[in-house]
Amino acid sequence: QVQLVESGGGLVQAGGSLRLSCAASGRTFSSLTMNWFRQAPEKEREFVAAINWSGDITSYADSVKGRFTISRDNAKNTVYLQMNSLKPEDAAVYYCAAARGPIMSTTPSRYGMDYWGKGTLVTVSS
């Protein structure tokens, strides 16, 4: 089994930045495709970003392209999400998720994930 623990959430003003972290344990981290999802109140959980096992292929939702950057450090078993130019619509609980398969060309689905963290809350004030 894999355990995922997110951290780094908090309150920021619109236009500000946050860096989220997700620490993994329980199995080989480098074998996993890592993802970030987010879920706002009364909305479905949506894909944000993904990164392959070697860290050289990334994927982003259109809503965050150019503002968010996903990265990973396999030596630390950690994946990051750098969020810049935050907007009020970015406010949500952000979840780290892992999939055992390779990164896909199609938009990752919540139903395709094998492991989930419990989330970290990001609030953006206007």
Side-chain angles (χ1 to χ4, degrees), residues 34-104:
M34 301 302 299
N35 304 259
W36 287 97
F37 287 76
R38 67 187 183 187
Q39 187 167 22
E42 309 298 327
K43 296 185 67 177
E44 294 184 352
R45 191 168 300 186
E46 65 177 358
F47 168 75
V48 176
I51 188 167
N52 73 330
W53 70 270
S54 60
D56 57 348
I57 303 175
T58 58
S59 178
Y60 298 94
D62 288 342
S63 59
V64 306
K65 285 181 179 177
R67 300 189 297 120
F68 291 11
T69 302
I70 188 171
S71 62
R72 68 191 296 164
D73 186 340
N74 290 343
K76 297 181 178 179
N77 292 336
T78 302
V79 63
Y80 305 95
L81 185 68
Q82 178 66 47
M83 306 187 296
N84 299 326
S85 302
L86 282 162
K87 304 174 180 179
E89 52 262 44
D90 294 319
V93 176
Y94 281 72
Y95 296 91
C96 179
R100 289 183 280 109
I103 193 168
M104 306 297 290

Side-chain angles (χ1 to χ4, degrees), residues 10-16 85-91 122-126:
L11 172 64
V12 297
Q13 291 184 301
S85 302
L86 282 162
K87 304 174 180 179
E89 52 262 44
D90 294 319
V122 173
T123 304
V124 184
S125 63
S126 59

